[in-house]
Amino acid sequence: MIIESAEVVVTSPGRTFVTLRITTDEGLIGLGDATLNGRELAVASYLSDHVAPLLIGRDAHAVEDTWQYLHRGAYWRRGPVTMTAIAAVDVALWDLVAQRAGLPLYQLLGGASRRGLLAYGHAGGRDLPELSEAIHRRLAEGFRAIRVQSGVPGIAALYGVTDPGTAYEPARRAARPVEEQWDSRAYLRHLPGVLEAVRHEFGPELPLLHDVHHRLTPIEAARLGRSLEPYDLFWLEDCTPAENQEALRLVRSHTVTPLAIGEVFNSVHDYRTLIGEQLVDFIRSSPTHTGGITALRRILDLAGLHQIRSGMHGPTDVSPVGMAAALHLGLAVHNFGIQEYMPHAAVTADVFETSFTFAAGLLHPGELPGLGVRLDLAAAARYPYQAAYLPVNRLPDGTVHDW
Ligand code: KDG
Ligand code: MG
């Protein structure tokens, strides 16, 4: 199965997605997600200028060798652009190998370890009544686990909080990033009361998650984790800037609230201290931003030795192709934890035809050979690239802060 062509498709049906489309001499088409939110064209160029020409003539079955060839062979390793590009190649090759075998991809990864993947949905509200309404809406849609984000008095524009009834979409179509605000003291005062009210209204069973989005110092995160213990969080996500692995030692030594981290990581090396010292409970990486299925499976195998489970990133900026890759891997690995699921805008289905399903709170990748996703090129051309940026975050005095 020889690779004949590799093209990069940039399309914006609802939001921008970058997809690698590999065609073999037998006419099979494999897809890989290369979407890096707000920096999409950097990965598109990395792939079309530097990687696609190297793929022509290679054996599509050589998934591991191709991964090493692009990773070690480039000399310049790691980083989100490089690893998202390698991920797209890796996932497209797995898609091809599984299609050639006539099997859904999860069967090549060891087969199903469970009936379906517990998914969590997002609920955000500017105040408690809005938040409660948003949670009820998610429950009615079938979600059995909920990420809770709340407005904070005094902060006008805040991560995770949308206008009522609208889907959360962090990237905004504008020439420059919009600016949001942050105040750690106001947040730390307000959040425990929010979780208390939600736990009281929705009872002890519902798994509740919360994302701090990298904003606290280690001692602030330790305080927050401890103050949320009575509300039994499923996890507290990205409580400190993720690149400082050692910071989690301090947090961990003060709280038993489970910790999740890693949506911005791109390599197993980002996790070595965290996994080796058992400083976290969930791995947030998706195949899309971590070098693909080949690389994430290694991370999850290492994590499994320490009873650390998966919690793959599944925002709208992971494309339907990337989502399918996460679902096949999540169905197969033993140490699956939970899967984030933010359904894409309806218009995305004009371009990407998917076979994954969501029912009774569980996702399943479906039974079509390969990933089970098709890309309609003609439809993709009807949604040309539109620039969008993630927000920038500032403290009350104007200092730029982690977003
Ligand atoms: O591209 C950035 C978003 O995917 C991210 O901000 C969403 O934090 C996020 C999450 O947990 O889904
Ligand atoms: Mg997050």
Side-chain angles (χ1 to χ4, degrees):
M1 185 165 56
I2 300 301
I3 297 173
E4 275 197 351
S5 70
E7 64 179 309
V8 179
V9 181
V10 181
T11 177
S12 298
R15 66 156 8 268
T16 299
F17 299 108
V18 180
T19 310
L20 180 67
R21 184 178 182 273
I22 298 182
T23 308
T24 69
D25 55 351
E26 296 170 338
L28 291 178
I29 294 166
L31 302 177
D33 180 20
T35 308
L36 186 63
N37 207 1
R39 295 292 185 270
E40 293 88 355
L41 299 184
V43 188
S45 160
Y46 192 108
L47 281 169
S48 53
D49 294 331
H50 303 291
V51 172
L54 309 181
L55 298 176
I56 313 305
R58 290 183 69 84
D59 178 2
H61 280 112
V63 182
E64 178 68 30
D65 184 68
T66 302
W67 196 93
Q68 301 294 349
Y69 182 79
L70 295 175
H71 187 250
R72 290 174 201 275
Y75 185 53
W76 307 107
R77 295 176 195 171
R78 305 174 62 181
V81 174
T82 298
M83 298 308 281
T84 302
I86 293 176
V89 177
D90 182 76
V91 168
L93 295 186
W94 275 115
D95 187 16
L96 287 166
V97 171
Q99 285 183 51
R100 179 79 195 287
L103 292 169
L105 175 53
Y106 73 81
Q107 296 289 15
L108 271 65
L109 301 175
S113 290
R114 55 195 53 79
R115 288 192 310 281
L117 309 179
L118 177 68
Y120 73 89
H122 287 203
R126 286 172 297 192
D127 53 24
L128 277 175
E130 253 183 45
L131 178 58
S132 165
E133 196 188 314
I135 297 173
H136 280 293
R137 212 176 310 121
R138 290 286 169 252
L139 294 175
E141 288 164 4
F143 283 98
R144 296 288 171 266
I146 310 283
R147 188 188 86 158
V148 171
Q149 303 297 130
S150 165
V152 173
I155 304 183
L158 181 64
Y159 171 78
V161 180
T162 46
D163 291 337
T166 59
Y168 183 63
E169 176 53 76
R172 318 283 162 77
R173 287 179 176 170
R176 291 174 192 278
V178 299
E179 302 209 346
E180 294 185 344
Q181 297 155 11
W182 185 249
D183 180 339
S184 295
R185 282 175 57 76
Y187 167 79
L188 288 169
R189 275 196 308 273
H190 186 67
L191 192 72
V194 172
L195 267 305
E196 180 184 20
V198 170
R199 185 52 86 200
H200 181 73
E201 180 178 352
F202 292 91
E205 289 296 328
L206 182 65
L208 297 175
L209 304 83
H210 178 72
D211 191 347
V212 187
H213 231 247
H214 321 279
R215 285 150 192 231
L216 298 178
T217 64
I219 199 70
E220 288 168 343
R223 175 180 149 198
L224 180 66
R226 187 180 278 185
S227 67
L228 297 180
E229 282 171 14
Y231 316 119
D232 187 24
L233 285 194
F234 186 92
W235 79 34
L236 185 66
E237 177 184 346
D238 286 341
C239 58
T240 53
E243 55 273 18
N244 183 358
Q245 297 184 48
E246 291 74 18
L248 271 290
R249 285 188 192 130
L250 190 146
V251 182
R252 195 66 153 176
S253 66
H254 286 284
T255 180
V256 292
T257 291
L259 303 175
I261 212 157
E263 69 181 42
V264 298
F265 289 0
N266 49 72
S267 162
V268 66
H269 298 288
D270 296 326
Y271 283 108
R272 282 171 53 167
T273 302
L274 295 173
I275 293 177
E277 296 185 25
Q278 200 129 11
L279 300 180
V280 293
D281 302 280
F282 294 93
I283 300 292
R284 289 288 286 135
S285 287
S286 68
T288 298
H289 301 127
T290 321
I293 286 170
T294 297
L296 184 51
R297 193 161 60 159
R298 281 191 194 111
I299 294 172
L300 292 178
D301 281 344
L302 181 62
L305 299 178
H306 300 266
Q307 291 173 285
I308 297 171
R309 292 183 285 158
S310 72
M312 291 182 220
H313 197 205
T316 47
D317 49 285
V318 166
S319 87
V321 176
M323 194 65 193
L327 299 185
H328 283 280
L329 182 60
L331 196 68
V333 294
H334 176 255
N335 54 331
F336 169 79
I338 200 166
Q339 173 65 50
E340 182 181 21
Y341 180 41
M342 283 172 83
H344 292 108
V347 70
T348 304
D350 286 356
V351 175
F352 295 93
E353 190 189 321
T354 57
S355 62
F356 55 79
T357 56
F358 177 60
L362 301 182
L363 286 156
H364 192 282
E367 300 294 345
L368 289 181
L371 285 172
V373 183
R374 301 283 170 268
L375 169 68
D376 181 336
L377 276 182
R382 290 200 294 274
Y383 298 95
Y385 170 70
Q386 289 190 287
Y389 283 102
L390 289 170
V392 166
N393 197 25
R394 289 189 191 273
L395 300 179
D397 71 356
T399 306
V400 172
H401 193 62
D402 301 274
W403 180 69

